[in-house]
Amino acid sequence: MSRNSILMRKILLLTFFILLPVWFVQAGDTLWVKQTRIPILTDRIDNALFYIRIDAKEVEKLTELKLEFSESANLDEVESLKLYYGGTEAVQRKGQAFYYPVQYLSGFAPGKTREANPSYSVKIIEQKSPGSEVIFSTDYPLFPGINYFWISIQMSSNTSLLSKIDVKLVSAKLDDRNAPLSFANSPQTHRMGVGVRHAGDDGVAAFRIPGLVTSNKGTLLGVYDVRYNNSVDLQEHIDIGLSRSTDKGQTWEKMRIPVSFDEYGGLPKSQNGVGDPSILVDKKTGTVWIAALWTHGMGNYRAWHNSQAGMDEKRTGQLVLTKSSDDGKTWSEPINITSQVKDPSWHLLLQGPGMGINMQDGTLVFPIQFIDSTGIPNAGIMYSKDSGQTWKIHYPARTNTTEAQVAEVEPGVLMLNMRDNRGGSRAVSITRDLGKTWEEHPSSRSVLQEPVCMASLIKVDAGENVLGKDILLFSNPNTTEGRHHITIKASLDGGLSFPGEYQVLLDEDPGWGYSCLTLIDRETVGILYESSVAHMTFQAVKLRDIIKQTGL
């Protein structure tokens, strides 16, 4: 063997032994990182930003994590970053790739939704008023096997809902040596939100079924079920709640109760529930209407199955309205319109929850759903030509459908977008004569996927938005199974397509999944929805963030 060959062999062996510890770290002790795609709530002390998984085979300590904010981040709005230790993994889940052993933050536990549960994680270090670069220096001991950490962010209470945060985990050290990072997803832009209603607020167990409109004065009016005892549907102790915002959703006033039947007829409150609200603004008069289902009696079982044929309140659910003439501050006594619109053979009639519309000719329209004499649900519309004094229903759009939303896609042309019990995708129909006749839209059962859930649809006219385009906006859980990945989608071709480049994902984690959209101003859309982080979450999104197209 030549002298050069011997020298090269020695160099290779020396290099191998020098790099051996690093190789062991790379092979067995990688940091597996998942960046969240959930709302950052400005009213939360903790918001999950990164989840970290370390399989400690060769190393003993986590010694450093380094993060970097983008130049566009407004660091004055960032209150603090925290590093938490989440503990170890169960042998039972060996071989499965999880990023946390338990949910550190709950969106559903009453009174425990705004900060990390101290039972589930240990705060290691906190960096207040961070700069563009954040280094967590710690010698935190690792348990043999899998270890979980997570990074929390807290925003200042006056953070703009239009702010966005881009931050990256750029490096890590184990036993004071650089460790490899493996990312489960690409870097994410984090959007702000506010928890309008959290589990446990005002002593209430759950808030469900959002509706949202913008009044003639620009006030945001959000309605929802106030479910005092638990999260189940009617029949239960449920009232209609309302929250107002006069600053485009940045802050919200104390909850009001527009509709409650208390102990009507001597029955308990749990047998006088009223829920599933839909809200509508009469643009001509400024009057705001809420439609709701009141159920009287029926024991304490689900009204959907226990409401019967007939008209009397003791046999069948009642469709009631309430109205406000002062921008949602005070509300009338309930107005029962069941006798105007219900067929006596139907088992149940109620509104499609969410929102109704004011057509260009002044007609008021609420989506509706009913269970017919055979027990099959149907979706359709009801309308008023006299500013809400009288209401009519013609025919359903499609059988075996329930919660629907309606939009005027052309003058006099209504599109009904329906939850379809067949599953997989949304049903869509068109009427040109207020429901006397219906035709299936080309997008029906093919374009908008769904897991069988309520959704939202609004039409934004070209003259009302900064893009100068007629836009259809749609939101729902963008899946076919499970209620997660709440997404806003846009269509510029009348609902024939909702291209992938015209979409914004808001929340990838599981929740109840209902949502409602409204146009806040010419540039911004608002959404009130059942998120993974709060029962009623509000976010504001720029139209240009949804519709990303050169030249618009």
Side-chain angles (χ1 to χ4, degrees):
M1 185 179 294
S2 66
R3 289 184 59 188
N4 286 341
S5 297
I6 294 172
L7 180 61
M8 182 59 69
R9 187 175 181 181
K10 289 180 178 180
I11 292 173
L12 288 173
L13 286 171
L14 181 61
T15 302
F16 173 78
F17 284 111
I18 291 173
L19 295 179
L20 184 59
V22 176
W23 181 87
F24 275 131
V25 169
Q26 290 176 335
D29 299 295
T30 297
L31 277 78
W32 303 89
V33 182
K34 182 178 181 180
Q35 192 167 173
T36 62
R37 292 187 290 183
I38 58 178
I40 294 178
L41 299 188
T42 59
D43 57 311
R44 256 189 171 186
I45 294 173
D46 288 294
N47 293 274
L49 196 62
F50 290 95
Y51 297 119
I52 301 169
R53 171 190 172 106
I54 304 171
D55 191 352
K57 295 178 180 178
E58 307 295 336
V59 296
E60 297 179 351
K61 295 182 297 183
L62 171 66
T63 48
E64 183 182 284
L65 292 174
K66 180 179 177 181
L67 296 89
E68 290 181 355
F69 286 95
S70 67
E71 293 182 359
S72 62
N74 183 358
L75 296 179
D76 290 338
E77 295 179 330
V78 181
E79 192 83 14
S80 73
L81 287 179
K82 304 169 196 172
L83 174 63
Y84 285 96
Y85 178 55
T88 66
E89 183 55 285
V91 175
Q92 184 178 349
R93 301 205 303 183
K94 184 177 181 180
Q96 303 176 62
F98 291 93
Y99 283 88
Y100 38 81
V102 67
Q103 285 285 350
Y104 308 118
L105 281 157
S106 174
F108 301 93
K112 297 182 179 180
T113 64
R114 288 182 169 88
E115 59 186 308
N117 188 329
S119 300
Y120 294 149
S121 49
V122 178
K123 186 168 75 171
I124 302 172
I125 192 170
E126 180 175 5
Q127 180 88 34
K128 294 186 177 181
S129 302
S132 58
E133 180 180 280
V134 176
I135 296 177
F136 289 126
S137 296
T138 179
D139 286 321
Y140 205 82
L142 299 175
F143 198 87
I146 293 172
N147 293 255
Y148 292 107
F149 295 83
W150 63 288
I151 296 172
S152 164
I153 188 169
Q154 179 183 358
M155 306 301 294
S156 65
S157 59
N158 60 357
T159 299
S160 168
L161 290 181
L162 295 173
S163 292
K164 292 180 281 189
I165 290 290
D166 287 285
V167 58
K168 296 179 180 179
L169 180 58
V170 294
S171 66
K173 291 183 179 181
L174 298 172
D175 289 350
D176 293 314
R177 298 193 297 267
N178 289 329
L181 302 174
S182 179
F183 293 94
N185 50 9
S186 57
Q188 307 298 315
T189 295
H190 299 272
R191 296 180 179 275
M192 301 301 114
V194 59
V196 178
R197 294 276 86 189
H198 286 264
D201 286 355
D202 297 315
V204 175
F207 301 89
R208 284 219 57 198
I209 324 295
L212 181 67
V213 291
T214 305
S215 76
N216 285 359
K217 295 183 178 181
T219 302
L220 294 178
L221 300 172
V223 291
Y224 39 80
D225 277 9
V226 181
R227 301 188 174 187
Y228 294 97
N229 296 324
N230 47 56
S231 63
V232 303
D233 298 339
L234 295 167
Q235 183 68 297
E236 246 294 352
H237 183 196
I238 301 173
D239 291 336
I240 301 299
L242 178 137
S243 294
R244 296 177 77 249
S245 174
T246 57
D247 56 8
K248 300 185 177 183
Q250 194 70 35
T251 61
W252 295 80
E253 297 173 2
K254 183 180 179 180
M255 179 178 70
R256 291 169 165 83
I257 302 292
V259 192
S260 174
F261 283 85
D262 199 42
E263 295 176 350
Y264 178 90
L267 289 178
K269 296 174 182 177
S270 65
Q271 295 184 10
N272 270 303
V274 57
D276 291 333
S278 187
I279 187 167
L280 180 158
V281 176
D282 185 334
K283 295 182 180 179
K284 180 180 178 180
T285 65
T287 301
V288 185
W289 294 88
I290 296 173
L293 171 65
W294 167 43
T295 51
H296 179 66
M298 302 185 193
N300 286 96
Y301 285 83
R302 303 291 71 78
W304 185 261
H305 303 291
N306 288 277
S307 185
Q308 306 169 60
M311 303 297 286
D312 184 82
E313 65 196 33
K314 296 178 182 178
R315 291 183 54 83
T316 192
Q318 303 291 295
L319 181 52
V320 299
L321 304 177
T322 183
K323 62 181 180 179
S324 173
S325 301
D326 57 5
D327 205 42
K329 296 176 183 176
T330 61
W331 294 84
S332 72
E333 290 297 313
I335 306 163
N336 194 330
I337 63 167
T338 307
S339 61
Q340 295 183 37
V341 289
K342 185 178 184 291
D343 185 312
S345 69
W346 296 347
H347 291 192
L348 181 66
L349 167 66
L350 69 157
Q351 63 293 329
M355 63 176 292
I357 64 168
N358 191 163
M359 295 177 66
Q360 292 185 28
D361 68 359
T363 303
L364 306 182
V365 181
F366 275 114
I368 58 99
Q369 53 186 315
F370 65 88
I371 302 174
D372 65 23
S373 60
T374 68
I376 301 297
N378 302 261
I381 61 167
M382 72 177 190
Y383 67 92
S384 173
K385 287 282 191 180
D386 54 11
S387 299
Q389 296 306 304
T390 60
W391 296 83
K392 293 182 180 180
I393 292 176
H394 290 302
Y395 300 103
R398 183 181 176 94
T399 62
N400 209 12
T401 55
T402 56
E403 296 161 327
Q405 289 286 264
V406 64
E408 186 177 19
V409 291
E410 299 174 27
V413 180
L414 297 179
M415 172 182 284
L416 192 68
N417 186 294
M418 297 164 276
R419 169 176 172 167
D420 195 309
N421 289 338
R422 298 162 185 84
S425 57
R426 302 289 292 181
V428 184
S429 291
I430 294 289
T431 181
R432 305 174 190 277
D433 51 17
L434 294 172
K436 292 179 181 178
T437 59
W438 293 90
E439 60 188 80
E440 190 172 31
H441 191 264
S443 68
S444 184
R445 301 290 296 156
S446 61
V447 171
L448 292 168
Q449 66 177 356
E450 72 151 0
V452 186
C453 185
M454 181 263 197
S456 182
L457 178 77
I458 62 171
K459 167 71 181 305
V460 182
D461 292 332
E464 296 178 348
N465 71 82
V466 68
L467 301 178
K469 302 284 185 180
D470 285 335
I471 305 169
L472 275 177
L473 293 174
F474 175 83
S475 62
N476 81 328
N478 190 24
T479 64
T480 56
E481 294 184 6
R483 295 180 179 180
H484 49 83
H485 283 77
I486 301 295
T487 303
I488 301 177
K489 304 179 181 182
S491 173
L492 299 182
D493 57 12
L496 294 173
S497 66
F498 289 80
E501 61 268 27
Y502 297 165
Q503 300 182 14
V504 169
L505 171 64
L506 298 179
D507 188 354
E508 70 174 358
D509 283 358
W512 287 322
Y514 283 35
S515 62
C516 194
L517 298 163
T518 190
L519 190 68
I520 299 176
D521 55 36
R522 292 179 56 83
E523 299 182 5
T524 318
V525 63
I527 181 171
L528 184 67
Y529 69 106
E530 300 171 339
S531 76
S532 66
V533 294
H535 283 184
M536 289 291 130
T537 294
F538 176 81
Q539 290 187 271
V541 182
K542 290 291 187 182
L543 288 172
R544 292 189 184 277
D545 286 350
I546 304 169
I547 301 173
K548 312 170 191 71
Q549 183 173 324
T550 304
L552 287 183

